[in-house]
PDB file of all heavy atoms in Angstrom:
ATOM      1  N   TYR A 303      86.223 -13.810  31.692  1.00 90.00           N
ATOM      2  CA  TYR A 303      87.178 -13.291  32.683  1.00 90.00           C
ATOM      3  C   TYR A 303      86.607 -13.265  34.099  1.00 90.00           C
ATOM      4  O   TYR A 303      87.278 -12.857  35.020  1.00 90.00           O
ATOM      5  CB  TYR A 303      87.611 -11.859  32.287  1.00 90.00           C
ATOM      6  CG  TYR A 303      88.639 -11.868  31.199  1.00 90.00           C
ATOM      7  CD1 TYR A 303      88.289 -11.620  29.888  1.00 90.00           C
ATOM      8  CD2 TYR A 303      89.977 -12.161  31.478  1.00 90.00           C
ATOM      9  CE1 TYR A 303      89.222 -11.639  28.883  1.00 90.00           C
ATOM     10  CE2 TYR A 303      90.923 -12.181  30.481  1.00 90.00           C
ATOM     11  CZ  TYR A 303      90.546 -11.935  29.181  1.00 90.00           C
ATOM     12  OH  TYR A 303      91.474 -11.972  28.177  1.00 90.00           O
ATOM     13  N   ARG A 304      85.355 -13.696  34.218  1.00 89.00           N
ATOM     14  CA  ARG A 304      84.684 -13.575  35.515  1.00 89.00           C
ATOM     15  C   ARG A 304      85.518 -14.124  36.662  1.00 89.00           C
ATOM     16  O   ARG A 304      85.647 -13.524  37.708  1.00 89.00           O
ATOM     17  CB  ARG A 304      83.320 -14.283  35.451  1.00 89.00           C
ATOM     18  CG  ARG A 304      82.512 -14.120  36.693  1.00 89.00           C
ATOM     19  CD  ARG A 304      81.050 -14.232  36.436  1.00 89.00           C
ATOM     20  NE  ARG A 304      80.552 -13.039  35.737  1.00 89.00           N
ATOM     21  CZ  ARG A 304      79.382 -12.982  35.116  1.00 89.00           C
ATOM     22  NH1 ARG A 304      78.628 -14.051  35.052  1.00 89.00           N
ATOM     23  NH2 ARG A 304      78.978 -11.887  34.535  1.00 89.00           N
ATOM     24  N   ASN A 305      86.112 -15.303  36.458  1.00 89.00           N
ATOM     25  CA  ASN A 305      86.897 -15.918  37.523  1.00 89.00           C
ATOM     26  C   ASN A 305      88.354 -15.562  37.477  1.00 89.00           C
ATOM     27  O   ASN A 305      89.141 -15.995  38.316  1.00 89.00           O
ATOM     28  CB  ASN A 305      86.736 -17.448  37.457  1.00 89.00           C
ATOM     29  CG  ASN A 305      85.285 -17.844  37.655  1.00 89.00           C
ATOM     30  OD1 ASN A 305      84.574 -17.221  38.435  1.00 89.00           O
ATOM     31  ND2 ASN A 305      84.867 -18.845  36.903  1.00 89.00           N
ATOM     32  N   VAL A 306      88.743 -14.799  36.501  1.00 87.00           N
ATOM     33  CA  VAL A 306      90.161 -14.460  36.346  1.00 87.00           C
ATOM     34  C   VAL A 306      90.410 -13.037  36.832  1.00 87.00           C
ATOM     35  O   VAL A 306      91.265 -12.792  37.675  1.00 87.00           O
ATOM     36  CB  VAL A 306      90.585 -14.582  34.857  1.00 87.00           C
ATOM     37  CG1 VAL A 306      92.076 -14.333  34.711  1.00 87.00           C
ATOM     38  CG2 VAL A 306      90.194 -15.911  34.294  1.00 87.00           C
ATOM     39  N   ASN A 307      89.649 -12.122  36.263  1.00 89.00           N
ATOM     40  CA  ASN A 307      89.765 -10.723  36.639  1.00 89.00           C
ATOM     41  C   ASN A 307      88.439 -10.006  36.353  1.00 89.00           C
ATOM     42  O   ASN A 307      88.218  -9.505  35.261  1.00 89.00           O
ATOM     43  CB  ASN A 307      90.912 -10.059  35.867  1.00 89.00           C
ATOM     44  CG  ASN A 307      91.092  -8.608  36.247  1.00 89.00           C
ATOM     45  OD1 ASN A 307      90.324  -8.086  37.070  1.00 89.00           O
ATOM     46  ND2 ASN A 307      92.085  -7.958  35.667  1.00 89.00           N
ATOM     47  N   PRO A 308      87.540  -9.986  37.341  1.00 89.00           N
ATOM     48  CA  PRO A 308      86.205  -9.423  37.087  1.00 89.00           C
ATOM     49  C   PRO A 308      86.218  -7.934  36.773  1.00 89.00           C
ATOM     50  O   PRO A 308      85.195  -7.408  36.318  1.00 89.00           O
ATOM     51  CB  PRO A 308      85.453  -9.703  38.399  1.00 89.00           C
ATOM     52  CG  PRO A 308      86.485 -10.046  39.388  1.00 89.00           C
ATOM     53  CD  PRO A 308      87.702 -10.514  38.689  1.00 89.00           C
ATOM     54  N   ASP A 309      87.360  -7.273  37.008  1.00 90.00           N
ATOM     55  CA  ASP A 309      87.425  -5.834  36.694  1.00 90.00           C
ATOM     56  C   ASP A 309      87.949  -5.568  35.298  1.00 90.00           C
ATOM     57  O   ASP A 309      88.178  -4.408  34.919  1.00 90.00           O
ATOM     58  CB  ASP A 309      88.328  -5.111  37.712  1.00 90.00           C
ATOM     59  CG  ASP A 309      87.755  -5.222  39.100  1.00 90.00           C
ATOM     60  OD1 ASP A 309      86.509  -5.173  39.211  1.00 90.00           O
ATOM     61  OD2 ASP A 309      88.533  -5.394  40.056  1.00 90.00           O
ATOM     62  N   TYR A 310      88.189  -6.608  34.538  1.00 91.00           N
ATOM     63  CA  TYR A 310      88.798  -6.425  33.213  1.00 91.00           C
ATOM     64  C   TYR A 310      87.715  -6.264  32.162  1.00 91.00           C
ATOM     65  O   TYR A 310      86.881  -7.149  31.968  1.00 91.00           O
ATOM     66  CB  TYR A 310      89.680  -7.631  32.908  1.00 91.00           C
ATOM     67  CG  TYR A 310      90.442  -7.521  31.611  1.00 91.00           C
ATOM     68  CD1 TYR A 310      91.191  -6.396  31.303  1.00 91.00           C
ATOM     69  CD2 TYR A 310      90.405  -8.566  30.688  1.00 91.00           C
ATOM     70  CE1 TYR A 310      91.893  -6.316  30.119  1.00 91.00           C
ATOM     71  CE2 TYR A 310      91.104  -8.489  29.497  1.00 91.00           C
ATOM     72  CZ  TYR A 310      91.848  -7.354  29.210  1.00 91.00           C
ATOM     73  OH  TYR A 310      92.525  -7.273  28.033  1.00 91.00           O
ATOM     74  N   PHE A 311      87.723  -5.121  31.505  1.00 93.00           N
ATOM     75  CA  PHE A 311      86.770  -4.842  30.413  1.00 93.00           C
ATOM     76  C   PHE A 311      87.559  -4.370  29.193  1.00 93.00           C
ATOM     77  O   PHE A 311      87.734  -3.185  28.982  1.00 93.00           O
ATOM     78  CB  PHE A 311      85.772  -3.762  30.850  1.00 93.00           C
ATOM     79  CG  PHE A 311      84.819  -4.231  31.920  1.00 93.00           C
ATOM     80  CD1 PHE A 311      85.194  -4.209  33.256  1.00 93.00           C
ATOM     81  CD2 PHE A 311      83.569  -4.731  31.578  1.00 93.00           C
ATOM     82  CE1 PHE A 311      84.345  -4.662  34.238  1.00 93.00           C
ATOM     83  CE2 PHE A 311      82.696  -5.175  32.553  1.00 93.00           C
ATOM     84  CZ  PHE A 311      83.081  -5.151  33.885  1.00 93.00           C
ATOM     85  N   PRO A 312      88.103  -5.317  28.454  1.00 92.00           N
ATOM     86  CA  PRO A 312      88.952  -4.920  27.334  1.00 92.00           C
ATOM     87  C   PRO A 312      88.173  -4.113  26.290  1.00 92.00           C
ATOM     88  O   PRO A 312      86.974  -4.369  26.070  1.00 92.00           O
ATOM     89  CB  PRO A 312      89.410  -6.248  26.744  1.00 92.00           C
ATOM     90  CG  PRO A 312      88.389  -7.241  27.159  1.00 92.00           C
ATOM     91  CD  PRO A 312      87.876  -6.763  28.484  1.00 92.00           C
ATOM     92  N   SER A 313      88.833  -3.200  25.673  1.00 92.00           N
ATOM     93  CA  SER A 313      88.187  -2.370  24.668  1.00 92.00           C
ATOM     94  C   SER A 313      87.963  -3.183  23.395  1.00 92.00           C
ATOM     95  O   SER A 313      88.903  -3.538  22.692  1.00 92.00           O
ATOM     96  CB  SER A 313      89.092  -1.166  24.376  1.00 92.00           C
ATOM     97  OG  SER A 313      88.555  -0.418  23.346  1.00 92.00           O
ATOM     98  N   VAL A 314      86.708  -3.520  23.150  1.00 96.00           N
ATOM     99  CA  VAL A 314      86.369  -4.300  21.947  1.00 96.00           C
ATOM    100  C   VAL A 314      85.070  -3.735  21.363  1.00 96.00           C
ATOM    101  O   VAL A 314      84.173  -3.366  22.114  1.00 96.00           O
ATOM    102  CB  VAL A 314      86.159  -5.798  22.293  1.00 96.00           C
ATOM    103  CG1 VAL A 314      85.647  -6.564  21.070  1.00 96.00           C
ATOM    104  CG2 VAL A 314      87.437  -6.440  22.807  1.00 96.00           C
ATOM    105  N   ASN A 315      84.981  -3.647  20.055  1.00 97.00           N
ATOM    106  CA  ASN A 315      83.753  -3.202  19.375  1.00 97.00           C
ATOM    107  C   ASN A 315      83.329  -4.234  18.341  1.00 97.00           C
ATOM    108  O   ASN A 315      84.203  -4.826  17.684  1.00 97.00           O
ATOM    109  CB  ASN A 315      83.986  -1.896  18.619  1.00 97.00           C
ATOM    110  CG  ASN A 315      83.990  -0.682  19.535  1.00 97.00           C
ATOM    111  OD1 ASN A 315      84.256  -0.800  20.725  1.00 97.00           O
ATOM    112  ND2 ASN A 315      83.721   0.473  18.983  1.00 97.00           N
ATOM    113  N   PHE A 316      82.026  -4.399  18.196  1.00 98.00           N
ATOM    114  CA  PHE A 316      81.518  -5.225  17.098  1.00 98.00           C
ATOM    115  C   PHE A 316      80.507  -4.442  16.290  1.00 98.00           C
ATOM    116  O   PHE A 316      79.768  -3.605  16.812  1.00 98.00           O
ATOM    117  CB  PHE A 316      80.829  -6.483  17.638  1.00 98.00           C
ATOM    118  CG  PHE A 316      81.781  -7.475  18.249  1.00 98.00           C
ATOM    119  CD1 PHE A 316      81.852  -7.664  19.617  1.00 98.00           C
ATOM    120  CD2 PHE A 316      82.634  -8.220  17.438  1.00 98.00           C
ATOM    121  CE1 PHE A 316      82.727  -8.566  20.186  1.00 98.00           C
ATOM    122  CE2 PHE A 316      83.517  -9.140  17.998  1.00 98.00           C
ATOM    123  CZ  PHE A 316      83.572  -9.310  19.373  1.00 98.00           C
ATOM    124  N   ILE A 317      80.474  -4.761  14.997  1.00 98.00           N
ATOM    125  CA  ILE A 317      79.453  -4.175  14.112  1.00 98.00           C
ATOM    126  C   ILE A 317      78.886  -5.317  13.274  1.00 98.00           C
ATOM    127  O   ILE A 317      79.625  -6.252  12.931  1.00 98.00           O
ATOM    128  CB  ILE A 317      80.066  -3.059  13.234  1.00 98.00           C
ATOM    129  CG1 ILE A 317      78.992  -2.330  12.454  1.00 98.00           C
ATOM    130  CG2 ILE A 317      81.129  -3.585  12.309  1.00 98.00           C
ATOM    131  CD1 ILE A 317      79.485  -1.018  11.845  1.00 98.00           C
ATOM    132  N   ALA A 318      77.599  -5.260  12.960  1.00 98.00           N
ATOM    133  CA  ALA A 318      77.003  -6.371  12.225  1.00 98.00           C
ATOM    134  C   ALA A 318      75.760  -5.907  11.488  1.00 98.00           C
ATOM    135  O   ALA A 318      75.158  -4.903  11.846  1.00 98.00           O
ATOM    136  CB  ALA A 318      76.627  -7.502  13.190  1.00 98.00           C
ATOM    137  N   PHE A 319      75.368  -6.647  10.459  1.00 96.00           N
ATOM    138  CA  PHE A 319      74.025  -6.508   9.900  1.00 96.00           C
ATOM    139  C   PHE A 319      73.510  -7.879   9.516  1.00 96.00           C
ATOM    140  O   PHE A 319      74.283  -8.828   9.357  1.00 96.00           O
ATOM    141  CB  PHE A 319      73.973  -5.509   8.753  1.00 96.00           C
ATOM    142  CG  PHE A 319      74.617  -5.961   7.457  1.00 96.00           C
ATOM    143  CD1 PHE A 319      74.086  -6.988   6.690  1.00 96.00           C
ATOM    144  CD2 PHE A 319      75.750  -5.323   6.994  1.00 96.00           C
ATOM    145  CE1 PHE A 319      74.680  -7.377   5.510  1.00 96.00           C
ATOM    146  CE2 PHE A 319      76.355  -5.701   5.810  1.00 96.00           C
ATOM    147  CZ  PHE A 319      75.803  -6.745   5.068  1.00 96.00           C
ATOM    148  N   ASN A 320      72.185  -7.951   9.370  1.00 95.00           N
ATOM    149  CA  ASN A 320      71.611  -9.221   8.911  1.00 95.00           C
ATOM    150  C   ASN A 320      71.027  -9.058   7.517  1.00 95.00           C
ATOM    151  O   ASN A 320      71.034  -7.967   6.959  1.00 95.00           O
ATOM    152  CB  ASN A 320      70.590  -9.765   9.926  1.00 95.00           C
ATOM    153  CG  ASN A 320      69.392  -8.840  10.068  1.00 95.00           C
ATOM    154  OD1 ASN A 320      69.168  -7.958   9.229  1.00 95.00           O
ATOM    155  ND2 ASN A 320      68.624  -9.030  11.123  1.00 95.00           N
ATOM    156  N   LYS A 321      70.508 -10.152   6.995  1.00 92.00           N
ATOM    157  CA  LYS A 321      70.054 -10.139   5.605  1.00 92.00           C
ATOM    158  C   LYS A 321      68.889  -9.185   5.366  1.00 92.00           C
ATOM    159  O   LYS A 321      68.646  -8.754   4.249  1.00 92.00           O
ATOM    160  CB  LYS A 321      69.640 -11.551   5.182  1.00 92.00           C
ATOM    161  CG  LYS A 321      70.816 -12.375   4.755  1.00 92.00           C
ATOM    162  CD  LYS A 321      70.462 -13.358   3.671  1.00 92.00           C
ATOM    163  CE  LYS A 321      70.855 -12.825   2.306  1.00 92.00           C
ATOM    164  NZ  LYS A 321      70.994 -13.810   1.275  1.00 92.00           N
ATOM    165  N   SER A 322      68.153  -8.864   6.427  1.00 89.00           N
ATOM    166  CA  SER A 322      67.037  -7.933   6.233  1.00 89.00           C
ATOM    167  C   SER A 322      67.462  -6.496   6.253  1.00 89.00           C
ATOM    168  O   SER A 322      66.637  -5.596   6.122  1.00 89.00           O
ATOM    169  CB  SER A 322      66.001  -8.110   7.336  1.00 89.00           C
ATOM    170  OG  SER A 322      65.881  -9.395   7.728  1.00 89.00           O
ATOM    171  N   GLY A 323      68.729  -6.264   6.499  1.00 90.00           N
ATOM    172  CA  GLY A 323      69.212  -4.886   6.501  1.00 90.00           C
ATOM    173  C   GLY A 323      69.138  -4.246   7.876  1.00 90.00           C
ATOM    174  O   GLY A 323      69.256  -3.014   7.987  1.00 90.00           O
ATOM    175  N   GLU A 324      68.958  -5.034   8.912  1.00 93.00           N
ATOM    176  CA  GLU A 324      69.047  -4.469  10.274  1.00 93.00           C
ATOM    177  C   GLU A 324      70.526  -4.370  10.646  1.00 93.00           C
ATOM    178  O   GLU A 324      71.322  -5.246  10.296  1.00 93.00           O
ATOM    179  CB  GLU A 324      68.364  -5.391  11.285  1.00 93.00           C
ATOM    180  CG  GLU A 324      66.860  -5.399  11.177  1.00 93.00           C
ATOM    181  CD  GLU A 324      66.293  -6.351  12.223  1.00 93.00           C
ATOM    182  OE1 GLU A 324      66.655  -7.541  12.201  1.00 93.00           O
ATOM    183  OE2 GLU A 324      65.499  -5.895  13.048  1.00 93.00           O
ATOM    184  N   ILE A 325      70.852  -3.307  11.397  1.00 95.00           N
ATOM    185  CA  ILE A 325      72.242  -3.062  11.739  1.00 95.00           C
ATOM    186  C   ILE A 325      72.401  -3.101  13.254  1.00 95.00           C
ATOM    187  O   ILE A 325      71.469  -2.780  13.998  1.00 95.00           O
ATOM    188  CB  ILE A 325      72.684  -1.670  11.227  1.00 95.00           C
ATOM    189  CG1 ILE A 325      72.428  -1.585   9.718  1.00 95.00           C
ATOM    190  CG2 ILE A 325      74.151  -1.406  11.508  1.00 95.00           C
ATOM    191  CD1 ILE A 325      72.618  -0.203   9.152  1.00 95.00           C
TER     192      ILE A 325
END
Side-chain angles (χ1 to χ4, degrees):
Y303 282 100
R304 184 153 287 164
N305 298 323
V306 185
N307 181 357
D309 297 323
Y310 184 51
F311 291 83
S313 175
V314 174
N315 282 24
F316 290 107
I317 187 166
F319 71 69
N320 63 17
K321 277 213 99 160
S322 325
E324 288 180 303
I325 304 171

